[in-house]
Amino acid sequence: MESAAGGGGGGFRASEHQHSRYNPLRDEWVLVSAHRVKRPWQGQLEKPPPEDVPRWDPKNPLCPGATRANGEVNPHYEGTFVFPNDFPALQPDAPEPDDSGHPLFQAAAARGVCKVMCFHPHSDLTLPLMSLLEIRAVIDAWAELEAELGASYPWVQIFENKGAMMGCSNPHPHCQVWASSFLPNEARLEERTQRQHHSQHGVPMLLEYAEQEAQRKERLVVENEDWLVVVPYWATWPFQTLLLPRRHVLRLRDLCDSERDSLASIMRRLLIKYDNLFQVSFPYSMGWHGAPTGPHLQEDCGHWQLHAHYYPPLLRSATVRKFMVGYEMLAQAQRDLTPEQAAERLRALPEVHYKLRPQETVCGAAQA
C-alpha cells in the first residue's frame, strides 16, 4: 500500500508523509496529509440523519397521491416517477442576455429543462435498501431520460443529493435531471482532459485507468464482471469513489441488459458499504458523466468514458464531516487520509446492510 504515491525513497510512507497527487481528469493536484486525521476534533458536529422517516406522508410533496407546491397531485405511482421540477434552475424559453460591451462582463444564454425522479413510492427506502429489480428500474429510467433530453440538449446531468448534509430538502428517495443548452464547467473540463489524453496515448483515459486499478487492486472497493468501484488515486473527499465500466461505453443508453443488471448489483454493494461504515444512512452527492449529447451525437466522442462520481462528506464518524474551506478554497484540495486507507476500510465492510443484520451483530460491530 505504501507504494501508492510512487517512489522517492528516503523512508517515505504515503500513510505518514504529506505529498501531492495529480488528478488527470480535472488537471489539478490534491494535497494528501494522512497524519492530520490523528488531530483532536473540537469543531462542528453534524446531526445524524433521522431513522424514523415515515413510509408515506400526505404532506410530503414527493409521495404518491400528495399535492405538490404548484397544486398538481402526484399519481399513486408504484415504481419510478418523473415530473418537471416545480422550482427549475433552467427553463427552455429564457431570453438572450444583452451584450455588456466589455470582455470582462460576459453573459451567455442558459436554457434547459429540470426534472425530478422519485426512485420508489416509499419514503423510508434508499437505494441500498431497494431490491435489484427496483434499482434496475432506476437505471432504465436514467437511460431513458438521458436519451429523451439528450436528443436536443448537449448536456444531461443526472445527480442525487442524499441527506440533509448534502443539501437534500426531502428524505424521499429521489434524484434530479438537468438538461442544459451548454456544457457546464465540469463537463467542459472533462471533455478537454479526456480528449487530450486520447490524442496523446490513443486510448480513453478512464478505460486505461480502470484497467490499471483492476490490476493494482489497492484502491479497489468492489468489482464484478462489468464494473469496478475505486477510491480514486487523486480522491479529494475522504471516502470518494469512482464507478467505472470495464468496456468502452460512451453513455448510459449504450449499456446492454446484462450491464444494467450488474450495475444495479454493484451500486447496491457500494451503497450498503457506505451505510455500514458509520451505521447511518450515508450522505453523498453523486452524478453520471458521459459523452455530450444533442449536436455532439453526430461527433466522434471516442475519448469519453461513462462514469459516476460519488462525493460523500463524512470523515471520522456519522457526525464529523470534511470541510472544504480555507486552504481548499484558496489554494488547492487537501485530504486527511490516503485513498488506499479509505479503500481498505470500505473493502473490509460487510455487504449485508446493518439494518438487515441480527441486532446483536450490529451492536457488536458498533462496539468494535
Side-chain angles (χ1 to χ4, degrees), residues 241-259:
T241 54
L242 184 62
L243 171 56
L244 296 162
R246 291 185 184 272
R247 76 171 178 95
H248 190 201
V249 184
L250 297 185
R251 303 175 180 94
L252 280 167
R253 71 182 77 179
D254 300 327
L255 298 174
C256 66
D257 277 346
S258 62
E259 288 170 329

Side-chain angles (χ1 to χ4, degrees), residues 140-160:
D140 288 341
W142 281 342
E144 290 169 10
L145 281 169
E146 179 201 71
E148 173 193 336
L149 299 174
S152 53
Y153 288 103
W155 189 256
V156 180
Q157 184 59 65
I158 298 167
F159 65 97
E160 178 194 4

Side-chain angles (χ1 to χ4, degrees), residues 356-368:
L356 303 180
R357 302 205 303 272
Q359 190 60 37
E360 59 271 17
T361 303
V362 174
C363 292
Q367 291 170 359

Side-chain angles (χ1 to χ4, degrees), residues 4 38 51 69 132-133 135 165 182-183 223 228 235 243 291 326 339 366 368:
K38 300 174 183 177
E51 295 283 348
L132 289 177
L133 286 177
I135 300 174
M165 197 180 300
F182 55 91
L183 289 187
E223 63 178 329
L228 68 158
L243 171 56

Side-chain angles (χ1 to χ4, degrees), residues 197 201-220 223 226-230 234 242 244-248 305:
H197 184 93
H201 303 282
V203 61
M205 176 198 296
L206 292 181
L207 182 62
E208 182 178 11
Y209 179 67
E211 293 171 350
Q212 285 291 316
E213 289 288 30
Q215 295 173 14
R216 296 171 185 246
K217 296 190 180 301
E218 58 191 340
R219 285 169 295 275
L220 193 65
E223 63 178 329
D226 299 313
W227 301 87
L228 68 158
V229 175
V230 300
W234 53 77
L242 184 62
L244 296 162
R246 291 185 184 272
R247 76 171 178 95
H248 190 201
Q305 174 73 327

